[in-house]
Amino acid sequence: ARWLTRDPLGMADGPNVYAYVQGSPSNAADSLGLCSNSKCKEFANHMYRECVANARKTYKSNMKRIVDHYFKRKKEIKRAMEWCYESHKRWGGSVVDWDYLCMTIEAYLLVGLYEEFVLLRANAQGLYAIERASCKATQLMQIDVCNAECCDP
């Protein structure tokens, strides 16, 4: 290709001299010569990486809170079970009956706690997936905006 003046951005989009108009010079133009798809994509990719990093940080924070809650509740259950196992001394009755009762209660509470943990974790993972998808959509929209601004129909 021959030009009257050199492109102010040089070879920013690489050796393809029509990259700035998505390979269609008859349908689009860069009237000022200042658009660069590679710069646009670089900016959009930077935004995407930053967005994903923030989503990852939020996910890790949510998981830490969930795990902390899990262990706090597990300690509470342990204290309650110690009280339960000591109760036969206060209220009498067979040690075997109290042990069976306490083990049943403990199993019920631990299963409930585990179910709660699994649900909260799945919720955090779902939110993380939604945030990542939102980051990707934002990246693609940014590329479209750059292309629309740079390529005058």
Side-chain angles (χ1 to χ4, degrees):
R2 294 179 186 225
W3 310 101
L4 295 175
T5 58
R6 184 165 172 77
D7 186 349
L9 290 175
M11 300 287 276
D13 286 319
N16 180 354
V17 294
Y18 297 119
Y20 69 99
V21 288
Q22 291 83 48
S24 181
S26 59
N27 293 327
D30 179 8
S31 56
L32 299 175
L34 299 175
C35 292
S36 166
N37 282 335
S38 63
K39 295 289 182 191
C40 177
K41 289 176 184 171
E42 185 180 308
F43 175 70
N45 291 339
H46 170 74
M47 285 178 51
Y48 173 74
R49 285 189 301 272
E50 193 173 288
C51 182
V52 168
N54 287 336
R56 191 176 298 119
K57 191 184 299 183
T58 300
Y59 172 72
K60 286 181 179 181
S61 172
N62 287 342
M63 284 306 298
K64 182 182 179 334
R65 282 198 332 264
I66 290 167
V67 169
D68 289 348
H69 172 74
Y70 174 82
F71 284 111
K72 178 182 173 191
R73 292 277 293 124
K74 197 164 182 181
K75 283 181 185 176
E76 291 170 358
I77 290 171
K78 183 179 178 185
R79 279 197 305 271
M81 291 305 95
E82 288 170 357
W83 178 85
C84 184
Y85 285 115
E86 293 295 318
S87 293
H88 78 276
K89 294 177 185 172
R90 284 188 289 271
W91 293 321
S94 165
V95 173
V96 174
D97 291 342
W98 276 101
D99 283 349
Y100 178 76
L101 175 67
C102 294
M103 284 189 295
T104 303
I105 292 170
E106 183 176 21
Y108 176 77
L109 292 174
L110 288 174
V111 166
L113 176 60
Y114 181 72
E115 288 174 349
E116 180 183 13
F117 173 76
V118 168
L119 289 173
L120 289 173
R121 191 181 91 200
N123 185 34
Q125 290 171 335
L127 289 174
Y128 179 56
I130 290 169
E131 286 182 30
R132 285 183 58 112
S134 175
C135 293
K136 189 62 170 176
T138 302
Q139 176 193 29
L140 296 175
M141 284 191 301
Q142 182 61 45
I143 290 172
D144 287 346
V145 167
C146 289
N147 288 338
E149 288 179 2
C150 284
C151 299
D152 307 322

PDB file of all heavy atoms in Angstrom, residues 64-97:
ATOM      1  N   LYS A  64     -12.966 -17.101  52.752  1.00  0.00           N
ATOM      2  CA  LYS A  64     -12.364 -16.985  54.088  1.00  0.00           C
ATOM      3  C   LYS A  64     -13.466 -16.798  55.132  1.00  0.00           C
ATOM      4  O   LYS A  64     -13.449 -17.442  56.175  1.00  0.00           O
ATOM      5  CB  LYS A  64     -11.374 -15.823  54.143  1.00  0.00           C
ATOM      6  CG  LYS A  64     -10.689 -15.709  55.495  1.00  0.00           C
ATOM      7  CD  LYS A  64      -9.760 -14.534  55.547  1.00  0.00           C
ATOM      8  CE  LYS A  64      -9.063 -14.356  56.869  1.00  0.00           C
ATOM      9  NZ  LYS A  64      -9.672 -14.868  58.061  1.00  0.00           N
ATOM     10  N   ARG A  65     -14.439 -15.928  54.829  1.00  0.00           N
ATOM     11  CA  ARG A  65     -15.545 -15.720  55.765  1.00  0.00           C
ATOM     12  C   ARG A  65     -16.343 -17.012  55.961  1.00  0.00           C
ATOM     13  O   ARG A  65     -16.753 -17.338  57.073  1.00  0.00           O
ATOM     14  CB  ARG A  65     -16.457 -14.599  55.264  1.00  0.00           C
ATOM     15  CG  ARG A  65     -15.900 -13.228  55.512  1.00  0.00           C
ATOM     16  CD  ARG A  65     -16.908 -12.089  55.450  1.00  0.00           C
ATOM     17  NE  ARG A  65     -18.062 -12.275  54.619  1.00  0.00           N
ATOM     18  CZ  ARG A  65     -18.178 -11.845  53.359  1.00  0.00           C
ATOM     19  NH1 ARG A  65     -17.185 -11.231  52.787  1.00  0.00           N
ATOM     20  NH2 ARG A  65     -19.294 -12.032  52.691  1.00  0.00           N
ATOM     21  N   ILE A  66     -16.555 -17.759  54.879  1.00  0.00           N
ATOM     22  CA  ILE A  66     -17.319 -19.011  54.961  1.00  0.00           C
ATOM     23  C   ILE A  66     -16.571 -20.033  55.808  1.00  0.00           C
ATOM     24  O   ILE A  66     -17.156 -20.685  56.680  1.00  0.00           O
ATOM     25  CB  ILE A  66     -17.603 -19.559  53.544  1.00  0.00           C
ATOM     26  CG1 ILE A  66     -18.613 -18.649  52.833  1.00  0.00           C
ATOM     27  CG2 ILE A  66     -18.115 -20.986  53.600  1.00  0.00           C
ATOM     28  CD1 ILE A  66     -18.733 -18.914  51.340  1.00  0.00           C
ATOM     29  N   VAL A  67     -15.277 -20.176  55.591  1.00  0.00           N
ATOM     30  CA  VAL A  67     -14.472 -21.137  56.352  1.00  0.00           C
ATOM     31  C   VAL A  67     -14.401 -20.716  57.818  1.00  0.00           C
ATOM     32  O   VAL A  67     -14.533 -21.555  58.717  1.00  0.00           O
ATOM     33  CB  VAL A  67     -13.069 -21.285  55.727  1.00  0.00           C
ATOM     34  CG1 VAL A  67     -12.137 -22.061  56.641  1.00  0.00           C
ATOM     35  CG2 VAL A  67     -13.178 -21.974  54.359  1.00  0.00           C
ATOM     36  N   ASP A  68     -14.200 -19.418  58.068  1.00  0.00           N
ATOM     37  CA  ASP A  68     -14.174 -18.927  59.452  1.00  0.00           C
ATOM     38  C   ASP A  68     -15.499 -19.236  60.154  1.00  0.00           C
ATOM     39  O   ASP A  68     -15.518 -19.672  61.311  1.00  0.00           O
ATOM     40  CB  ASP A  68     -13.899 -17.416  59.492  1.00  0.00           C
ATOM     41  CG  ASP A  68     -12.472 -17.072  59.121  1.00  0.00           C
ATOM     42  OD1 ASP A  68     -11.614 -17.983  59.041  1.00  0.00           O
ATOM     43  OD2 ASP A  68     -12.212 -15.867  58.882  1.00  0.00           O
ATOM     44  N   HIS A  69     -16.604 -18.999  59.451  1.00  0.00           N
ATOM     45  CA  HIS A  69     -17.930 -19.284  60.013  1.00  0.00           C
ATOM     46  C   HIS A  69     -18.060 -20.786  60.316  1.00  0.00           C
ATOM     47  O   HIS A  69     -18.571 -21.171  61.379  1.00  0.00           O
ATOM     48  CB  HIS A  69     -19.014 -18.843  59.026  1.00  0.00           C
ATOM     49  CG  HIS A  69     -20.389 -19.260  59.407  1.00  0.00           C
ATOM     50  ND1 HIS A  69     -21.093 -18.653  60.423  1.00  0.00           N
ATOM     51  CD2 HIS A  69     -21.193 -20.236  58.924  1.00  0.00           C
ATOM     52  CE1 HIS A  69     -22.271 -19.242  60.550  1.00  0.00           C
ATOM     53  NE2 HIS A  69     -22.359 -20.206  59.638  1.00  0.00           N
ATOM     54  N   TYR A  70     -17.584 -21.619  59.385  1.00  0.00           N
ATOM     55  CA  TYR A  70     -17.653 -23.070  59.560  1.00  0.00           C
ATOM     56  C   TYR A  70     -16.938 -23.494  60.838  1.00  0.00           C
ATOM     57  O   TYR A  70     -17.489 -24.237  61.656  1.00  0.00           O
ATOM     58  CB  TYR A  70     -17.047 -23.769  58.337  1.00  0.00           C
ATOM     59  CG  TYR A  70     -16.932 -25.266  58.479  1.00  0.00           C
ATOM     60  CD1 TYR A  70     -18.024 -26.093  58.227  1.00  0.00           C
ATOM     61  CD2 TYR A  70     -15.739 -25.859  58.868  1.00  0.00           C
ATOM     62  CE1 TYR A  70     -17.925 -27.468  58.355  1.00  0.00           C
ATOM     63  CE2 TYR A  70     -15.629 -27.238  58.990  1.00  0.00           C
ATOM     64  CZ  TYR A  70     -16.730 -28.032  58.731  1.00  0.00           C
ATOM     65  OH  TYR A  70     -16.634 -29.384  58.868  1.00  0.00           O
ATOM     66  N   PHE A  71     -15.695 -23.022  61.030  1.00  0.00           N
ATOM     67  CA  PHE A  71     -14.931 -23.437  62.209  1.00  0.00           C
ATOM     68  C   PHE A  71     -15.479 -22.842  63.500  1.00  0.00           C
ATOM     69  O   PHE A  71     -15.438 -23.482  64.552  1.00  0.00           O
ATOM     70  CB  PHE A  71     -13.446 -23.114  62.032  1.00  0.00           C
ATOM     71  CG  PHE A  71     -12.760 -24.075  61.110  1.00  0.00           C
ATOM     72  CD1 PHE A  71     -12.308 -23.675  59.872  1.00  0.00           C
ATOM     73  CD2 PHE A  71     -12.596 -25.404  61.469  1.00  0.00           C
ATOM     74  CE1 PHE A  71     -11.697 -24.583  59.005  1.00  0.00           C
ATOM     75  CE2 PHE A  71     -12.000 -26.322  60.630  1.00  0.00           C
ATOM     76  CZ  PHE A  71     -11.542 -25.901  59.388  1.00  0.00           C
ATOM     77  N   LYS A  72     -16.047 -21.649  63.426  1.00  0.00           N
ATOM     78  CA  LYS A  72     -16.681 -21.054  64.607  1.00  0.00           C
ATOM     79  C   LYS A  72     -17.875 -21.911  65.031  1.00  0.00           C
ATOM     80  O   LYS A  72     -18.037 -22.234  66.207  1.00  0.00           O
ATOM     81  CB  LYS A  72     -17.129 -19.627  64.295  1.00  0.00           C
ATOM     82  CG  LYS A  72     -17.833 -18.950  65.440  1.00  0.00           C
ATOM     83  CD  LYS A  72     -18.306 -17.568  65.059  1.00  0.00           C
ATOM     84  CE  LYS A  72     -19.152 -16.986  66.166  1.00  0.00           C
ATOM     85  NZ  LYS A  72     -19.847 -15.786  65.765  1.00  0.00           N
ATOM     86  N   ARG A  73     -18.702 -22.286  64.059  1.00  0.00           N
ATOM     87  CA  ARG A  73     -19.865 -23.127  64.364  1.00  0.00           C
ATOM     88  C   ARG A  73     -19.437 -24.506  64.861  1.00  0.00           C
ATOM     89  O   ARG A  73     -20.058 -25.078  65.743  1.00  0.00           O
ATOM     90  CB  ARG A  73     -20.755 -23.272  63.123  1.00  0.00           C
ATOM     91  CG  ARG A  73     -21.441 -22.011  62.700  1.00  0.00           C
ATOM     92  CD  ARG A  73     -22.717 -21.733  63.451  1.00  0.00           C
ATOM     93  NE  ARG A  73     -23.710 -22.754  63.110  1.00  0.00           N
ATOM     94  CZ  ARG A  73     -24.316 -23.514  64.001  1.00  0.00           C
ATOM     95  NH1 ARG A  73     -24.092 -23.362  65.275  1.00  0.00           N
ATOM     96  NH2 ARG A  73     -25.189 -24.431  63.628  1.00  0.00           N
ATOM     97  N   LYS A  74     -18.357 -25.042  64.304  1.00  0.00           N
ATOM     98  CA  LYS A  74     -17.887 -26.359  64.734  1.00  0.00           C
ATOM     99  C   LYS A  74     -17.438 -26.315  66.198  1.00  0.00           C
ATOM    100  O   LYS A  74     -17.708 -27.251  66.960  1.00  0.00           O
ATOM    101  CB  LYS A  74     -16.736 -26.814  63.834  1.00  0.00           C
ATOM    102  CG  LYS A  74     -16.468 -28.293  63.932  1.00  0.00           C
ATOM    103  CD  LYS A  74     -15.623 -28.780  62.796  1.00  0.00           C
ATOM    104  CE  LYS A  74     -15.459 -30.275  62.955  1.00  0.00           C
ATOM    105  NZ  LYS A  74     -14.643 -30.856  61.929  1.00  0.00           N
ATOM    106  N   LYS A  75     -16.791 -25.209  66.600  1.00  0.00           N
ATOM    107  CA  LYS A  75     -16.408 -25.057  68.016  1.00  0.00           C
ATOM    108  C   LYS A  75     -17.641 -24.973  68.904  1.00  0.00           C
ATOM    109  O   LYS A  75     -17.671 -25.547  69.991  1.00  0.00           O
ATOM    110  CB  LYS A  75     -15.560 -23.796  68.196  1.00  0.00           C
ATOM    111  CG  LYS A  75     -14.140 -23.940  67.753  1.00  0.00           C
ATOM    112  CD  LYS A  75     -13.366 -22.651  68.000  1.00  0.00           C
ATOM    113  CE  LYS A  75     -11.971 -22.726  67.445  1.00  0.00           C
ATOM    114  NZ  LYS A  75     -11.240 -21.461  67.596  1.00  0.00           N
ATOM    115  N   GLU A  76     -18.663 -24.256  68.434  1.00  0.00           N
ATOM    116  CA  GLU A  76     -19.909 -24.147  69.203  1.00  0.00           C
ATOM    117  C   GLU A  76     -20.555 -25.526  69.371  1.00  0.00           C
ATOM    118  O   GLU A  76     -21.045 -25.858  70.459  1.00  0.00           O
ATOM    119  CB  GLU A  76     -20.879 -23.188  68.512  1.00  0.00           C
ATOM    120  CG  GLU A  76     -20.445 -21.739  68.546  1.00  0.00           C
ATOM    121  CD  GLU A  76     -21.297 -20.848  67.656  1.00  0.00           C
ATOM    122  OE1 GLU A  76     -22.215 -21.363  66.970  1.00  0.00           O
ATOM    123  OE2 GLU A  76     -21.036 -19.637  67.630  1.00  0.00           O
ATOM    124  N   ILE A  77     -20.541 -26.312  68.314  1.00  0.00           N
ATOM    125  CA  ILE A  77     -21.111 -27.666  68.392  1.00  0.00           C
ATOM    126  C   ILE A  77     -20.302 -28.517  69.360  1.00  0.00           C
ATOM    127  O   ILE A  77     -20.862 -29.267  70.169  1.00  0.00           O
ATOM    128  CB  ILE A  77     -21.161 -28.310  66.983  1.00  0.00           C
ATOM    129  CG1 ILE A  77     -22.214 -27.601  66.126  1.00  0.00           C
ATOM    130  CG2 ILE A  77     -21.453 -29.804  67.070  1.00  0.00           C
ATOM    131  CD1 ILE A  77     -22.206 -28.001  64.661  1.00  0.00           C
ATOM    132  N   LYS A  78     -18.984 -28.385  69.331  1.00  0.00           N
ATOM    133  CA  LYS A  78     -18.134 -29.157  70.243  1.00  0.00           C
ATOM    134  C   LYS A  78     -18.445 -28.806  71.699  1.00  0.00           C
ATOM    135  O   LYS A  78     -18.566 -29.688  72.554  1.00  0.00           O
ATOM    136  CB  LYS A  78     -16.657 -28.890  69.934  1.00  0.00           C
ATOM    137  CG  LYS A  78     -15.714 -29.705  70.779  1.00  0.00           C
ATOM    138  CD  LYS A  78     -14.268 -29.427  70.439  1.00  0.00           C
ATOM    139  CE  LYS A  78     -13.365 -30.230  71.355  1.00  0.00           C
ATOM    140  NZ  LYS A  78     -11.965 -29.919  71.171  1.00  0.00           N
ATOM    141  N   ARG A  79     -18.595 -27.497  71.980  1.00  0.00           N
ATOM    142  CA  ARG A  79     -18.939 -27.083  73.350  1.00  0.00           C
ATOM    143  C   ARG A  79     -20.298 -27.638  73.762  1.00  0.00           C
ATOM    144  O   ARG A  79     -20.485 -28.102  74.885  1.00  0.00           O
ATOM    145  CB  ARG A  79     -18.925 -25.558  73.462  1.00  0.00           C
ATOM    146  CG  ARG A  79     -17.538 -24.972  73.642  1.00  0.00           C
ATOM    147  CD  ARG A  79     -17.581 -23.537  74.158  1.00  0.00           C
ATOM    148  NE  ARG A  79     -18.394 -22.646  73.334  1.00  0.00           N
ATOM    149  CZ  ARG A  79     -17.940 -21.960  72.291  1.00  0.00           C
ATOM    150  NH1 ARG A  79     -16.691 -22.064  71.927  1.00  0.00           N
ATOM    151  NH2 ARG A  79     -18.737 -21.170  71.614  1.00  0.00           N
ATOM    152  N   ALA A  80     -21.250 -27.593  72.846  1.00  0.00           N
ATOM    153  CA  ALA A  80     -22.589 -28.113  73.145  1.00  0.00           C
ATOM    154  C   ALA A  80     -22.538 -29.612  73.405  1.00  0.00           C
ATOM    155  O   ALA A  80     -23.226 -30.128  74.301  1.00  0.00           O
ATOM    156  CB  ALA A  80     -23.549 -27.804  71.988  1.00  0.00           C
ATOM    157  N   MET A  81     -21.702 -30.329  72.682  1.00  0.00           N
ATOM    158  CA  MET A  81     -21.598 -31.781  72.860  1.00  0.00           C
ATOM    159  C   MET A  81     -20.905 -32.114  74.184  1.00  0.00           C
ATOM    160  O   MET A  81     -21.275 -33.080  74.852  1.00  0.00           O
ATOM    161  CB  MET A  81     -20.850 -32.416  71.690  1.00  0.00           C
ATOM    162  CG  MET A  81     -21.613 -32.390  70.383  1.00  0.00           C
ATOM    163  SD  MET A  81     -23.249 -33.143  70.487  1.00  0.00           S
ATOM    164  CE  MET A  81     -24.326 -31.769  70.796  1.00  0.00           C
ATOM    165  N   GLU A  82     -19.921 -31.316  74.584  1.00  0.00           N
ATOM    166  CA  GLU A  82     -19.288 -31.532  75.892  1.00  0.00           C
ATOM    167  C   GLU A  82     -20.334 -31.381  76.989  1.00  0.00           C
ATOM    168  O   GLU A  82     -20.378 -32.169  77.938  1.00  0.00           O
ATOM    169  CB  GLU A  82     -18.139 -30.543  76.084  1.00  0.00           C
ATOM    170  CG  GLU A  82     -16.926 -30.845  75.225  1.00  0.00           C
ATOM    171  CD  GLU A  82     -15.896 -29.726  75.241  1.00  0.00           C
ATOM    172  OE1 GLU A  82     -16.132 -28.667  75.875  1.00  0.00           O
ATOM    173  OE2 GLU A  82     -14.843 -29.902  74.598  1.00  0.00           O
ATOM    174  N   TRP A  83     -21.184 -30.361  76.858  1.00  0.00           N
ATOM    175  CA  TRP A  83     -22.248 -30.154  77.824  1.00  0.00           C
ATOM    176  C   TRP A  83     -23.197 -31.351  77.811  1.00  0.00           C
ATOM    177  O   TRP A  83     -23.608 -31.842  78.865  1.00  0.00           O
ATOM    178  CB  TRP A  83     -23.001 -28.865  77.487  1.00  0.00           C
ATOM    179  CG  TRP A  83     -24.150 -28.608  78.403  1.00  0.00           C
ATOM    180  CD1 TRP A  83     -24.110 -27.991  79.618  1.00  0.00           C
ATOM    181  CD2 TRP A  83     -25.507 -28.989  78.184  1.00  0.00           C
ATOM    182  NE1 TRP A  83     -25.357 -27.960  80.170  1.00  0.00           N
ATOM    183  CE2 TRP A  83     -26.239 -28.572  79.303  1.00  0.00           C
ATOM    184  CE3 TRP A  83     -26.169 -29.649  77.154  1.00  0.00           C
ATOM    185  CZ2 TRP A  83     -27.605 -28.780  79.427  1.00  0.00           C
ATOM    186  CZ3 TRP A  83     -27.530 -29.866  77.274  1.00  0.00           C
ATOM    187  CH2 TRP A  83     -28.238 -29.426  78.406  1.00  0.00           C
ATOM    188  N   CYS A  84     -23.519 -31.830  76.597  1.00  0.00           N
ATOM    189  CA  CYS A  84     -24.448 -32.957  76.474  1.00  0.00           C
ATOM    190  C   CYS A  84     -23.885 -34.203  77.160  1.00  0.00           C
ATOM    191  O   CYS A  84     -24.580 -34.878  77.918  1.00  0.00           O
ATOM    192  CB  CYS A  84     -24.732 -33.243  75.003  1.00  0.00           C
ATOM    193  SG  CYS A  84     -25.970 -34.536  74.732  1.00  0.00           S
ATOM    194  N   TYR A  85     -22.614 -34.505  76.902  1.00  0.00           N
ATOM    195  CA  TYR A  85     -22.008 -35.716  77.469  1.00  0.00           C
ATOM    196  C   TYR A  85     -21.890 -35.631  78.991  1.00  0.00           C
ATOM    197  O   TYR A  85     -21.877 -36.646  79.676  1.00  0.00           O
ATOM    198  CB  TYR A  85     -20.638 -35.986  76.835  1.00  0.00           C
ATOM    199  CG  TYR A  85     -20.741 -36.540  75.433  1.00  0.00           C
ATOM    200  CD1 TYR A  85     -20.278 -35.808  74.346  1.00  0.00           C
ATOM    201  CD2 TYR A  85     -21.302 -37.789  75.194  1.00  0.00           C
ATOM    202  CE1 TYR A  85     -20.370 -36.313  73.052  1.00  0.00           C
ATOM    203  CE2 TYR A  85     -21.399 -38.298  73.911  1.00  0.00           C
ATOM    204  CZ  TYR A  85     -20.933 -37.558  72.840  1.00  0.00           C
ATOM    205  OH  TYR A  85     -21.040 -38.061  71.571  1.00  0.00           O
ATOM    206  N   GLU A  86     -21.820 -34.423  79.537  1.00  0.00           N
ATOM    207  CA  GLU A  86     -21.738 -34.250  80.992  1.00  0.00           C
ATOM    208  C   GLU A  86     -23.122 -34.236  81.646  1.00  0.00           C
ATOM    209  O   GLU A  86     -23.236 -34.335  82.868  1.00  0.00           O
ATOM    210  CB  GLU A  86     -20.988 -32.955  81.327  1.00  0.00           C
ATOM    211  CG  GLU A  86     -19.526 -32.973  80.951  1.00  0.00           C
ATOM    212  CD  GLU A  86     -18.732 -33.998  81.743  1.00  0.00           C
ATOM    213  OE1 GLU A  86     -18.968 -34.118  82.964  1.00  0.00           O
ATOM    214  OE2 GLU A  86     -17.900 -34.672  81.127  1.00  0.00           O
ATOM    215  N   SER A  87     -24.160 -34.105  80.837  1.00  0.00           N
ATOM    216  CA  SER A  87     -25.521 -33.950  81.374  1.00  0.00           C
ATOM    217  C   SER A  87     -26.018 -35.167  82.134  1.00  0.00           C
ATOM    218  O   SER A  87     -26.830 -35.038  83.050  1.00  0.00           O
ATOM    219  CB  SER A  87     -26.505 -33.622  80.249  1.00  0.00           C
ATOM    220  OG  SER A  87     -26.211 -32.361  79.734  1.00  0.00           O
ATOM    221  N   HIS A  88     -25.554 -36.339  81.778  1.00  0.00           N
ATOM    222  CA  HIS A  88     -26.053 -37.528  82.483  1.00  0.00           C
ATOM    223  C   HIS A  88     -25.684 -37.476  83.963  1.00  0.00           C
ATOM    224  O   HIS A  88     -26.380 -38.021  84.796  1.00  0.00           O
ATOM    225  CB  HIS A  88     -25.529 -38.821  81.833  1.00  0.00           C
ATOM    226  CG  HIS A  88     -24.115 -39.145  82.180  1.00  0.00           C
ATOM    227  ND1 HIS A  88     -23.044 -38.597  81.518  1.00  0.00           N
ATOM    228  CD2 HIS A  88     -23.602 -39.962  83.141  1.00  0.00           C
ATOM    229  CE1 HIS A  88     -21.927 -39.072  82.045  1.00  0.00           C
ATOM    230  NE2 HIS A  88     -22.235 -39.900  83.027  1.00  0.00           N
ATOM    231  N   LYS A  89     -24.602 -36.763  84.299  1.00  0.00           N
ATOM    232  CA  LYS A  89     -24.216 -36.631  85.709  1.00  0.00           C
ATOM    233  C   LYS A  89     -25.213 -35.743  86.449  1.00  0.00           C
ATOM    234  O   LYS A  89     -25.508 -35.981  87.616  1.00  0.00           O
ATOM    235  CB  LYS A  89     -22.813 -36.032  85.820  1.00  0.00           C
ATOM    236  CG  LYS A  89     -21.722 -36.945  85.274  1.00  0.00           C
ATOM    237  CD  LYS A  89     -20.376 -36.258  85.337  1.00  0.00           C
ATOM    238  CE  LYS A  89     -19.309 -37.114  84.671  1.00  0.00           C
ATOM    239  NZ  LYS A  89     -18.038 -36.393  84.548  1.00  0.00           N
ATOM    240  N   ARG A  90     -25.720 -34.705  85.785  1.00  0.00           N
ATOM    241  CA  ARG A  90     -26.654 -33.772  86.417  1.00  0.00           C
ATOM    242  C   ARG A  90     -28.068 -34.348  86.498  1.00  0.00           C
ATOM    243  O   ARG A  90     -28.767 -34.160  87.475  1.00  0.00           O
ATOM    244  CB  ARG A  90     -26.690 -32.454  85.641  1.00  0.00           C
ATOM    245  CG  ARG A  90     -25.485 -31.571  85.886  1.00  0.00           C
ATOM    246  CD  ARG A  90     -25.678 -30.198  85.255  1.00  0.00           C
ATOM    247  NE  ARG A  90     -25.612 -30.251  83.794  1.00  0.00           N
ATOM    248  CZ  ARG A  90     -24.502 -30.128  83.077  1.00  0.00           C
ATOM    249  NH1 ARG A  90     -23.356 -29.939  83.696  1.00  0.00           N
ATOM    250  NH2 ARG A  90     -24.533 -30.186  81.769  1.00  0.00           N
ATOM    251  N   TRP A  91     -28.487 -35.017  85.442  1.00  0.00           N
ATOM    252  CA  TRP A  91     -29.879 -35.443  85.368  1.00  0.00           C
ATOM    253  C   TRP A  91     -30.067 -36.940  85.513  1.00  0.00           C
ATOM    254  O   TRP A  91     -31.187 -37.440  85.478  1.00  0.00           O
ATOM    255  CB  TRP A  91     -30.509 -34.970  84.059  1.00  0.00           C
ATOM    256  CG  TRP A  91     -30.624 -33.482  84.005  1.00  0.00           C
ATOM    257  CD1 TRP A  91     -30.955 -32.652  85.019  1.00  0.00           C
ATOM    258  CD2 TRP A  91     -30.391 -32.653  82.868  1.00  0.00           C
ATOM    259  NE1 TRP A  91     -30.958 -31.342  84.619  1.00  0.00           N
ATOM    260  CE2 TRP A  91     -30.611 -31.313  83.279  1.00  0.00           C
ATOM    261  CE3 TRP A  91     -30.023 -32.868  81.567  1.00  0.00           C
ATOM    262  CZ2 TRP A  91     -30.481 -30.228  82.420  1.00  0.00           C
ATOM    263  CZ3 TRP A  91     -29.906 -31.773  80.720  1.00  0.00           C
ATOM    264  CH2 TRP A  91     -30.124 -30.487  81.138  1.00  0.00           C
ATOM    265  N   GLY A  92     -28.987 -37.645  85.657  1.00  0.00           N
ATOM    266  CA  GLY A  92     -29.091 -39.088  85.849  1.00  0.00           C
ATOM    267  C   GLY A  92     -29.448 -39.808  84.557  1.00  0.00           C
ATOM    268  O   GLY A  92     -29.480 -39.240  83.478  1.00  0.00           O
ATOM    269  N   GLY A  93     -29.672 -41.069  84.716  1.00  0.00           N
ATOM    270  CA  GLY A  93     -29.999 -41.887  83.552  1.00  0.00           C
ATOM    271  C   GLY A  93     -28.784 -42.669  83.100  1.00  0.00           C
ATOM    272  O   GLY A  93     -27.668 -42.483  83.578  1.00  0.00           O
ATOM    273  N   SER A  94     -29.006 -43.521  82.194  1.00  0.00           N
ATOM    274  CA  SER A  94     -27.966 -44.403  81.687  1.00  0.00           C
ATOM    275  C   SER A  94     -26.964 -43.617  80.828  1.00  0.00           C
ATOM    276  O   SER A  94     -27.331 -42.802  80.001  1.00  0.00           O
ATOM    277  CB  SER A  94     -28.605 -45.510  80.845  1.00  0.00           C
ATOM    278  OG  SER A  94     -27.639 -46.160  80.070  1.00  0.00           O
ATOM    279  N   VAL A  95     -25.682 -43.907  81.056  1.00  0.00           N
ATOM    280  CA  VAL A  95     -24.620 -43.286  80.262  1.00  0.00           C
ATOM    281  C   VAL A  95     -24.788 -43.665  78.797  1.00  0.00           C
ATOM    282  O   VAL A  95     -24.604 -42.840  77.901  1.00  0.00           O
ATOM    283  CB  VAL A  95     -23.222 -43.709  80.784  1.00  0.00           C
ATOM    284  CG1 VAL A  95     -22.123 -43.201  79.873  1.00  0.00           C
ATOM    285  CG2 VAL A  95     -23.017 -43.225  82.201  1.00  0.00           C
ATOM    286  N   VAL A  96     -25.178 -44.894  78.558  1.00  0.00           N
ATOM    287  CA  VAL A  96     -25.357 -45.376  77.181  1.00  0.00           C
ATOM    288  C   VAL A  96     -26.472 -44.582  76.498  1.00  0.00           C
ATOM    289  O   VAL A  96     -26.330 -44.165  75.335  1.00  0.00           O
ATOM    290  CB  VAL A  96     -25.659 -46.886  77.160  1.00  0.00           C
ATOM    291  CG1 VAL A  96     -25.984 -47.359  75.761  1.00  0.00           C
ATOM    292  CG2 VAL A  96     -24.490 -47.661  77.738  1.00  0.00           C
ATOM    293  N   ASP A  97     -27.564 -44.345  77.195  1.00  0.00           N
ATOM    294  CA  ASP A  97     -28.670 -43.561  76.618  1.00  0.00           C
ATOM    295  C   ASP A  97     -28.219 -42.139  76.296  1.00  0.00           C
ATOM    296  O   ASP A  97     -28.539 -41.605  75.242  1.00  0.00           O
ATOM    297  CB  ASP A  97     -29.862 -43.521  77.585  1.00  0.00           C
ATOM    298  CG  ASP A  97     -30.538 -44.881  77.722  1.00  0.00           C
ATOM    299  OD1 ASP A  97     -30.317 -45.739  76.839  1.00  0.00           O
ATOM    300  OD2 ASP A  97     -31.273 -45.065  78.699  1.00  0.00           O
TER     301      ASP A  97
END
